[in-house]
Amino acid sequence: MANIAIVNYCNLKCKYCFADGMIQEKTATISLEDYGRILEFMSRTPNNHIGIIGGEPTLHPHFDGILKETNRYCRECNTDSTLFTNGIELERFLPYIGDRTGLLINCNSPEYQTAEIYQKQRKALDHLYSLSWFDRKATCGCNIHPGCKDYSYMWDIVDRYKLNHIRCSVVSPAACYEEWRKDKEGYYSMMKPVFLQFCEDAIKHNCRLGMDCGHIPMCYFNIEERETVESICDNLYQDFCSPVIDITPDFKATACFGAYDPVDIRDFHDIFELERYLMLKKTYPKVQANCMGKCTTCRKHKLLQCQGGCLGFAGAE
């Protein structure tokens, strides 16, 4: 799988954003021709799912053309795609979204948005609900971060749209939380009660949690806490990241967005070759550097069966 960042700018300034390092004053937008070249690179390996990311992808000046190219790629390669969006500008592009493209809408607390932006997102969600896209083609996501302790807004969304499944993530130590990279134990200890409360609320609202790559390793929970988490969460035992390649508009790629020195995809024949290179040259050294706290005495970490949580804690190369 690869995510293609078609723009490097956004209409929000989320304080936890893992793409913060890419959001620069000098904007970059991929051309339709270059987007087609990246899709051709992807097509050399069969059935390669793609993600469309940014920045905020719906801000691309020719986003309807991006969607048309994506629809063509999915049909010809017999695969699917996912659009990662905040949903603010989504409504006008719904007619262009093909049958093989799913939506993941990131939902922030209203305290981090203007009332106008929050209402635009809600209007788009209302439209998706009227189309019966939720739990079939679209889902909502929530990023759990140190700056937000009250997620009642998310449970309002779950109830309003009758969602039985959402994606969630405990954010990486990025953007304004970058100082936590030096204290993995402290960060996970701080975020554990927040995440546990989120799980308990999910149980009350009968809504399963699909865990994104950002989650607290299970060794940080006691038996009772593990039972709570396991009862409501999916994807808990992805203890080692398989690289999800992130490709920027200039054909540069990393195995974890913003975490490594990028490589040029044009130096590789296909995505399989690129994934193998990034795993061996970039991810494995990061796993070794991520040995701190509980990991120092962990057999799974020593045998490379667990990477010890987010590789953002491994620090700079």
Side-chain angles (χ1 to χ4, degrees):
M1 176 179 175
N3 294 323
I4 306 172
I6 61 174
V7 297
N8 74 336
Y9 47 92
C10 188
N11 46 9
L12 292 178
K13 296 291 183 182
C14 302
K15 61 193 302 182
Y16 57 79
C17 183
F18 64 89
D20 182 66
M22 191 191 77
I23 307 299
Q24 305 294 334
E25 290 184 9
K26 186 177 180 180
T27 60
T29 301
I30 199 168
S31 68
L32 290 178
E33 292 77 16
D34 284 347
Y35 185 66
R37 292 186 181 101
I38 293 176
L39 293 182
E40 192 279 327
F41 172 79
M42 294 292 298
S43 70
R44 296 173 195 167
T45 305
N47 306 119
N48 244 311
H49 187 109
I50 63 167
I52 306 170
I53 63 171
E56 170 51 42
T58 58
L59 298 182
H60 192 285
H62 302 292
F63 190 57
D64 54 345
I66 292 287
L67 289 173
K68 290 175 183 177
E69 277 293 291
T70 303
N71 295 339
R72 177 193 60 78
Y73 168 81
C74 290
R75 287 195 308 270
E76 293 179 359
C77 296
N78 190 30
T79 190
D80 301 301
S81 62
T82 302
L83 170 61
F84 296 85
T85 176
N86 57 37
I88 295 169
E89 300 295 334
L90 180 62
E91 245 198 312
R92 58 197 176 102
F93 296 109
L94 293 181
Y96 301 100
I97 296 174
D99 293 339
R100 291 176 174 264
T101 296
L103 305 175
L104 178 58
I105 301 101
N106 182 47
C107 299
N108 284 314
S109 168
E111 67 178 292
Y112 294 110
Q113 306 175 64
T114 66
E116 180 183 3
I117 285 178
Y118 188 69
Q119 289 305 315
K120 284 189 74 172
Q121 185 189 64
R122 280 299 184 97
K123 186 179 178 183
L125 296 179
D126 285 344
H127 196 166
L128 293 177
Y129 182 65
S130 72
L131 295 172
S132 300
W133 278 19
F134 284 121
D135 293 324
R136 177 176 64 85
K137 186 177 177 65
T139 191
C140 292
C142 180
N143 287 289
I144 304 170
H145 62 102
C148 183
K149 299 296 190 294
D150 180 9
Y151 293 91
S152 57
Y153 78 93
M154 197 67 218
W155 307 119
D156 290 341
I157 290 173
V158 166
D159 293 340
R160 180 183 180 98
Y161 303 114
K162 300 179 174 59
L163 304 182
N164 56 37
H165 184 274
I166 62 172
R167 290 288 295 275
C168 73
S169 175
V170 176
V171 302
S172 61
C176 72
Y177 305 126
E178 190 171 356
E179 72 274 9
W180 285 101
R181 288 190 174 190
K182 298 179 180 179
D183 188 8
K184 180 170 67 175
E185 300 292 294
Y187 185 76
Y188 283 146
S189 296
M190 173 180 66
M191 294 307 297
K192 187 176 81 166
V194 181
F195 176 64
L196 283 171
Q197 183 61 57
F198 197 87
C199 290
E200 291 171 3
D201 290 339
I203 292 171
K204 293 176 184 176
H205 290 267
N206 197 30
C207 179
R208 292 200 63 78
L209 304 178
M211 295 305 300
D212 212 329
C213 57
H215 64 270
I216 301 172
M218 295 304 290
C219 60
Y220 284 84
F221 299 100
N222 62 36
I223 294 176
E224 182 179 352
E225 292 166 343
R226 280 186 73 143
E227 289 177 350
T228 298
V229 173
E230 289 173 340
S231 70
I232 200 66
C233 295
D234 302 323
N235 307 332
L236 282 174
Y237 300 105
Q238 296 178 348
D239 296 326
F240 208 102
C241 288
S242 297
V244 175
I245 309 301
D246 293 306
I247 303 173
T248 50
D250 57 357
F251 293 89
K252 298 298 174 59
T254 64
C256 183
F257 207 40
Y260 310 130
D261 292 332
V263 297
D264 196 309
I265 69 170
R266 292 168 291 194
D267 293 334
F268 301 85
H269 176 263
D270 55 28
I271 195 72
F272 175 76
E273 190 174 282
L274 176 60
E275 284 179 344
R276 183 172 56 185
Y277 175 87
L278 290 173
M279 175 66 83
L280 296 175
K281 290 289 188 178
K282 303 294 184 177
T283 298
Y284 282 149
K286 284 281 185 179
V287 172
Q288 294 171 329
N290 205 28
C291 187
M292 62 182 80
K294 292 177 179 291
C295 299
T296 57
T297 57
C298 178
R299 183 174 181 274
K300 286 185 67 177
H301 191 277
K302 183 178 180 180
L303 296 177
L304 294 178
Q305 296 173 354
C306 177
Q307 66 185 33
C310 179
L311 293 182
F313 291 108
E317 288 185 326

